[in-house]
Amino acid sequence: MLKIGVLVSGGGTNLQAIFDGIENGTIRNTKVEVVISNNAGAYALERAKNHNVEALCVSPKQYESRELFNQALLETVDQYSLDLIVLAGFLVTIPAAMIQKYPNRIINIHPSLIPSFCGVGYYGLKVHEGALKRGVKVTGATVHFVDEGVDSGPILLQEAVNVHPGDTPKTLQQRVMEEAEWIILPKAIDMIANGLIRIGG
């Protein structure tokens, strides 16, 4: 059984896709042990409670320095003996110490086809604003391992999504979630849980 922890900052739609996948059998041999948010008001925490999963807030605002927050986040994660850490819209930089302790055991979902529209400054609606401004005809989403860079780790899965005439950042964001993110993130977790993608250093 793959024990996962999910780190989120907002509404938790990708988290919901994970819960749905476990419940409908598209994610096998997997259990969500804990959901951690940097935002006490994140609806994702309610989603976790609704599924009887422990929901915690570890926020930089609670600590005097980023170093103390980083230490607290790592100590919190360590308590759960996780096999895999899933970043599902987590808008905080992962501490280097966590990446070193969990090599190739942290995955992230990013709402573009990396290497396009990724890296520093590209998150949330900014990704889709960038795609529309550039005029691309196809965008999508990427699941990748997390390394010390920003959106730079090895790619696991990608799914393309067509850009429609008249799209706004919000309509494009919604379609990328529905047609790509909510499909490939559960798929990647299932593949890891069943040995089709290897994890670990």
Side-chain angles (χ1 to χ4, degrees):
M1 184 69 71
L2 187 78
K3 297 193 333 185
I4 69 172
V6 185
L7 276 56
V8 290
S9 291
T13 54
N14 277 305
L15 172 65
Q16 187 65 50
I18 294 168
F19 284 137
D20 292 346
I22 291 171
E23 288 170 5
N24 67 28
T26 54
I27 302 176
R28 301 160 292 164
N29 304 319
T30 299
K31 182 172 187 275
V32 180
E33 293 285 327
V34 65
V35 172
I36 302 171
S37 180
N38 63 301
N39 174 8
Y43 184 65
L45 295 175
E46 294 303 314
R47 294 183 193 270
K49 292 171 187 172
N50 291 340
H51 288 82
N52 298 313
V53 171
E54 190 159 0
L56 304 174
C57 176
V58 182
S59 170
K61 296 174 185 174
Q62 298 167 321
Y63 299 91
E64 291 181 8
S65 69
R66 183 49 70 107
E67 289 72 26
L68 288 172
F69 162 75
N70 287 346
Q71 183 180 342
L73 182 62
L74 181 54
E75 287 173 356
T76 302
V77 167
D78 285 347
Q79 292 173 21
Y80 292 89
S81 303
L82 301 173
D83 301 308
L84 182 71
I85 299 164
V86 179
L87 309 184
F90 191 59
L91 301 180
V92 175
T93 302
I94 296 298
M98 186 182 293
I99 294 167
Q100 291 155 13
K101 190 164 188 177
Y102 294 90
N104 289 330
R105 287 167 60 197
I106 307 173
I107 64 172
N108 180 52
I109 179 82
H110 182 77
S112 76
L113 296 174
I114 291 174
S116 298
F117 312 109
C118 66
V120 176
Y122 279 110
Y123 60 89
L125 278 176
K126 294 181 186 299
V127 177
H128 307 292
E129 289 167 358
L132 291 173
K133 186 175 180 181
R134 187 70 180 89
V136 297
K137 304 304 180 192
V138 177
T139 185
T142 304
V143 178
H144 64 94
F145 281 126
V146 174
D147 62 10
E148 281 85 353
V150 179
D151 301 326
S152 59
I155 290 171
L156 302 178
L157 293 173
Q158 290 186 307
E159 183 69 30
V161 174
N162 289 325
V163 178
H164 294 173
D167 261 334
T168 67
K170 286 203 165 181
T171 62
L172 185 57
Q173 179 185 51
Q174 186 67 28
R175 202 161 59 257
V176 167
M177 288 193 293
E178 293 174 357
E179 297 182 10
E181 293 179 51
W182 299 346
I183 296 169
I184 62 173
L185 183 58
K187 184 177 180 181
I189 294 168
D190 179 71
M191 291 175 74
I192 290 167
N194 294 284
L196 299 175
I197 295 175
R198 291 188 59 190
I199 58 172

Coordinates of all heavy atoms in Angstrom, one line a residue, residues 7-8 25 29 37 40 48-49 61 76 81-83 104 112 118 121 126 133-134 138 151 160 176 179-180:
L7 N 0.2 17.9 -0.3 CA 0.5 19.3 0.1 C -0.3 20.2 -0.8 O -0.2 20.1 -2.0 CB 2.0 19.6 0.1 CG 2.8 19.2 1.3 CD1 2.6 17.7 1.7 CD2 4.2 19.6 1.2
V8 N -1.1 21.1 -0.2 CA -2.0 21.9 -1.0 C -2.0 23.4 -0.4 O -1.7 23.6 0.7 CB -3.4 21.4 -1.0 CG1 -3.6 20.1 -1.8 CG2 -3.9 21.2 0.5
G25 N -11.4 3.4 -7.9 CA -10.6 2.3 -8.3 C -9.6 2.6 -9.4 O -8.8 1.7 -9.8
N29 N -4.2 0.5 -4.5 CA -3.1 0.3 -3.6 C -2.5 1.5 -3.0 O -1.3 1.6 -2.8 CB -2.0 -0.6 -4.2 CG -2.5 -1.9 -4.8 OD1 -3.3 -2.5 -4.2 ND2 -2.0 -2.2 -5.9
S37 N -1.5 21.9 4.5 CA -1.6 23.1 3.8 C -0.9 24.2 4.5 O -0.7 24.2 5.7 CB -3.1 23.6 3.6 OG -3.2 24.8 2.9
A40 N -4.4 28.1 6.4 CA -5.4 27.6 7.3 C -6.8 27.7 6.8 O -7.7 26.8 7.1 CB -5.4 28.4 8.6
A48 N -10.2 17.0 3.0 CA -9.5 16.0 3.7 C -10.4 15.5 4.9 O -10.6 14.2 5.1 CB -8.2 16.4 4.2
K49 N -10.9 16.4 5.7 CA -11.8 16.0 6.8 C -13.0 15.2 6.4 O -13.4 14.3 7.0 CB -12.2 17.3 7.6 CG -11.0 17.9 8.3 CD -11.4 19.3 8.9 CE -10.2 20.0 9.5 NZ -10.6 21.4 9.8
K61 N 3.6 31.8 8.3 CA 3.2 32.9 9.2 C 3.3 32.5 10.6 O 3.3 33.4 11.5 CB 1.8 33.3 8.9 CG 1.6 33.9 7.5 CD 0.1 34.1 7.2 CE -0.1 34.6 5.8 NZ -1.6 34.7 5.4
T76 N 7.0 17.6 10.2 CA 5.6 17.2 10.1 C 5.4 16.1 9.1 O 4.8 15.0 9.4 CB 4.7 18.4 9.7 OG1 4.8 19.4 10.7 CG2 3.2 18.0 9.6
S81 N 5.8 8.7 7.8 CA 6.5 7.6 7.1 C 5.9 7.4 5.7 O 5.5 6.3 5.3 CB 6.4 6.3 7.9 OG 6.9 6.4 9.2
L82 N 5.9 8.5 5.0 CA 5.3 8.5 3.7 C 6.1 7.9 2.6 O 7.4 8.0 2.6 CB 4.9 10.0 3.2 CG 4.0 10.7 4.2 CD1 3.9 12.2 3.7 CD2 2.6 10.1 4.2
D83 N 5.5 7.2 1.7 CA 6.2 6.6 0.5 C 6.3 7.7 -0.6 O 7.3 7.7 -1.4 CB 5.5 5.4 0.0 CG 5.3 4.3 1.0 OD1 6.3 3.9 1.6 OD2 4.2 3.9 1.2
N104 N 13.3 11.7 -5.5 CA 12.4 11.0 -6.4 C 11.2 10.4 -5.7 O 10.7 9.3 -6.1 CB 13.2 10.0 -7.3 CG 14.1 10.6 -8.3 OD1 13.8 11.7 -8.8 ND2 15.2 9.9 -8.6
S112 N 1.0 23.2 -17.3 CA 1.4 23.5 -18.7 C 2.2 22.3 -19.2 O 2.5 21.4 -18.4 CB 2.3 24.8 -18.7 OG 3.6 24.5 -18.2
C118 N 6.7 27.6 -17.3 CA 7.0 27.0 -16.0 C 8.2 27.8 -15.4 O 8.8 28.7 -16.1 CB 7.4 25.6 -16.2 SG 8.9 25.2 -17.1
G121 N 7.7 32.3 -11.1 CA 6.6 33.2 -11.5 C 5.4 32.6 -12.2 O 4.4 33.3 -12.4
K126 N -1.4 32.7 -13.7 CA -0.3 33.3 -14.5 C 0.2 32.3 -15.6 O 0.7 32.8 -16.6 CB 0.9 33.6 -13.5 CG 0.5 34.7 -12.5 CD 1.7 35.0 -11.6 CE 1.3 35.9 -10.5 NZ 0.9 37.2 -10.9
K133 N -1.2 34.8 -23.9 CA -0.4 36.0 -24.4 C 0.6 35.5 -25.5 O 0.7 36.3 -26.5 CB 0.4 36.6 -23.3 CG 1.1 37.9 -23.6 CD 1.8 38.5 -22.4 CE 2.5 39.8 -22.8 NZ 3.2 40.4 -21.6
R134 N 1.1 34.3 -25.4 CA 2.0 33.8 -26.4 C 1.3 33.4 -27.7 O 1.9 33.3 -28.7 CB 2.9 32.7 -25.8 CG 4.0 32.2 -26.7 CD 5.1 33.2 -26.8 NE 6.2 32.7 -27.6 CZ 6.3 32.9 -28.9 NH1 5.3 33.5 -29.6 NH2 7.3 32.4 -29.6
V138 N -1.9 24.8 -28.3 CA -2.0 23.7 -27.4 C -1.2 23.9 -26.1 O -0.1 24.5 -26.1 CB -1.3 22.4 -28.1 CG1 -1.4 21.2 -27.2 CG2 -2.1 22.1 -29.4
D151 N 10.1 23.5 -11.2 CA 9.5 22.8 -12.3 C 10.5 22.2 -13.2 O 10.3 22.1 -14.5 CB 8.6 23.7 -13.2 CG 7.5 24.4 -12.3 OD1 7.0 23.7 -11.4 OD2 7.1 25.5 -12.6
A160 N -1.9 16.9 -23.4 CA -2.2 18.1 -24.1 C -3.6 18.5 -24.1 O -4.5 17.7 -24.0 CB -1.7 17.9 -25.6
V176 N -7.9 22.8 -18.6 CA -6.7 22.1 -18.3 C -6.9 21.2 -17.1 O -6.4 20.1 -17.1 CB -5.5 23.1 -18.2 CG1 -4.3 22.4 -17.6 CG2 -5.2 23.7 -19.5
E179 N -9.4 18.2 -18.3 CA -8.9 17.4 -19.4 C -7.5 16.9 -19.2 O -7.1 15.9 -19.9 CB -9.0 18.1 -20.8 CG -10.4 18.5 -21.1 CD -10.5 19.2 -22.5 OE1 -9.5 19.2 -23.2 OE2 -11.6 19.7 -22.8
A180 N -6.8 17.4 -18.2 CA -5.4 17.0 -18.1 C -5.0 16.7 -16.6 O -4.8 15.6 -16.2 CB -4.4 18.0 -18.6

